[in-house]
Structures are given as C-alpha cells and as structure tokens.
C-alpha cells in the first residue's frame, strides 16, 4: 500500500472512531487559500501595466461621467445618457488608456530622462535636483502647450463625432470634431489652464 493510501486510511479511521465537531474554516485558512489570488491581483498592475492602464482609464472615465450625470445633473438612472457615456468609454480606453500611456510612459522616458529617478526622490531631495526640476517643468510645458491643445482636445472632439455616428466617414469625424473644438477652444483652454 502506498504512503498516500495509508495516510488516507489512517485519516478515515480516526474520523470514524472519534466524533468531530464541525468547525467553519478559520480566517487564516481562508486567507491562506486566497493569498495567491490576492497576490496575483495585487501584482497585476506591475506585471501588466498597459492592460491595467486601459482598465483604469476606461472605468474611471465612464464612472466620472456617470457621477456627473447622476449627482451634478440629478438624472435618474433611467435618464442616463448612455450615448454620452459611450463617448467617455471609447475616449477613456483608446486615448487615455492607450495613447497617453504610450506618450507619457514610453515617450516621456525618452524625452525627459530624469523622470523616473526624480519621481522616486523625497520632496527635499527634489528641491536639490536641478536636472529633475528642469525635466518636470519641460513635461508640464509640453503638456500645456503641445499635448492638450493640439492632440488631446482635437482627439476628444473627433471621438465625440465618431460615437454620435452622424457620419460613417472618419474624415468627417475629424473635420467636424476639430470645427467644434475651434468653437470651444477659448473656453476649453482657459479651463485647462485654471486646472493647472
């Protein structure tokens, strides 16, 4: 008889000869059995940063619009504008999750080489790091002067045209989106600067 067989028989004979009281699993046995799942879930952002970014950007952008509709605009759940929310889902996934990851993680690391090192410094050490301060200023300047006005807003308005499906021609989405952005540019850019 194998060791496994003997062990199983011994366990069975002990359970037959001794009455056992039923105990629910302890929290330690539960937590130890779920520890690998929690560990892999907790490590997901580190092991899959791009996928994590797509999930977070899509979810938060959609949730932000839903909060505005329900809380600020006081819409009931059956009054939610799902087409509008769809704009935020598409934009959050494609632009915020995809393009901005490429821009701000991949390209910024190339263009602003002190970025990662500077981010890890304490505030006191950051104040002493001239190269890091200069790169941080360049990143903000690029964001405010190039990225947001010339890429972000035109893309947002084009995605809005795509989701509204007034046309099936991508050229129309971009043309109509940029036309609408031009009409709102002053208001959008001043709000952006106030945010900074």
């Amino acid at each position: 008889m194998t060791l496994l067989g003997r062990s199983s028989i011994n366990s069975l004979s002990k359970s037959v000869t001794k009455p056992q009281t039923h105990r629910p699993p302890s929290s330690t046995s539960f937590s130890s059995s779920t520890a690998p799942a929690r560990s892999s879930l907790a490590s997901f952002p580190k092991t899959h940063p791009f996928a994590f970014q797509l999930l977070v950007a899509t979810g938060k952008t959609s949730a932000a619009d839903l909060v505005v509709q329900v809380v600020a605009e006081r819409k009931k759940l059956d009054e939610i504008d799902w087409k509008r929310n769809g704009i935020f889902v598409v934009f959050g996934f494609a632009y915020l999750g995809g393009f901005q990851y490429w821009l701000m993680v991949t390209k910024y690391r190339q263009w602003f080489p002190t970025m990662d090192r500077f981010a890890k410094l304490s505030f006191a050490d950051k104040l002493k790091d001239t190269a890091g301060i200069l790169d941080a200023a360049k990143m903000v300047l690029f964001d405010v002067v190039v990225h947001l006005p010339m890429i972000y807003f035109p893309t947002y308005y084009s995605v809005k045209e795509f989701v509204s499906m007034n046309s099936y021609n991508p050229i129309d989405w971009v043309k109509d989106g940029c036309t609408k952005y031009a009409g709102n540019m002053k208001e959008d850019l001043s709000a952006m600067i106030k945010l900074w």
Side-chain angles (χ1 to χ4, degrees):
M1 183 177 285
T2 67
L3 182 60
L4 179 61
R6 268 190 233 124
S7 164
S8 299
I9 290 175
N10 287 341
S11 296
L12 179 62
S13 67
K14 286 178 186 174
S15 67
V16 170
T17 58
K18 281 185 177 176
Q20 293 184 351
T21 57
H22 175 71
R23 282 186 248 150
S26 69
S27 61
T28 55
S29 69
F30 177 75
S31 63
S32 66
S33 68
T34 60
R38 280 193 310 216
S39 175
S40 65
L41 187 60
S43 68
F44 182 77
K46 195 171 234 174
T47 57
H48 301 89
F50 181 68
F52 181 72
Q53 168 69 10
L54 288 172
L55 290 169
V56 169
T58 305
K60 75 159 177 79
T61 309
S62 174
D65 177 58
L66 291 173
V67 167
V68 168
Q69 289 193 53
V70 172
V71 177
E73 298 173 3
R74 299 177 191 254
K75 290 182 178 178
K76 294 180 179 142
L77 290 179
D78 62 341
E79 298 173 327
I80 290 175
D81 183 348
W82 291 106
K83 194 170 196 176
R84 172 179 135 176
N85 191 259
I87 294 167
F88 287 95
V89 167
V90 170
F91 187 71
F93 178 82
Y95 189 84
L96 300 176
F99 176 77
Q100 273 192 337
Y101 181 90
W102 171 81
L103 177 68
M104 295 185 167
V105 174
T106 306
K107 301 314 286 179
Y108 273 27
R109 279 194 176 125
Q110 292 173 357
W111 300 335
F112 311 110
T114 65
M115 179 178 87
D116 289 324
R117 180 186 54 76
F118 187 72
K120 294 174 186 173
L121 295 175
S122 69
F123 185 71
D125 289 337
K126 284 180 181 168
L127 293 175
K128 300 173 198 168
D129 186 350
T130 307
I133 291 171
L134 286 173
D135 269 357
K138 290 178 200 173
M139 285 189 279
V140 171
L141 190 64
F142 177 83
D143 204 39
V144 171
V145 174
V146 177
H147 172 234
L148 293 172
M150 296 181 195
I151 304 169
Y152 176 89
F153 283 119
T155 303
Y156 170 75
Y157 281 97
S158 297
V159 168
K160 192 173 177 181
E161 290 303 307
F162 159 70
V163 173
S164 70
M165 280 296 177
N166 293 328
S167 167
Y168 291 100
N169 184 347
I171 294 170
D172 289 338
W173 305 336
V174 174
K175 184 181 69 151
D176 295 344
C178 288
T179 301
K180 288 181 180 171
Y181 169 51
N184 295 332
M185 184 182 285
K186 185 178 179 182
E187 183 181 338
D188 288 343
L189 295 179
S190 69
M192 175 195 69
I193 294 297
K194 288 176 186 173
L195 183 65
W196 272 102

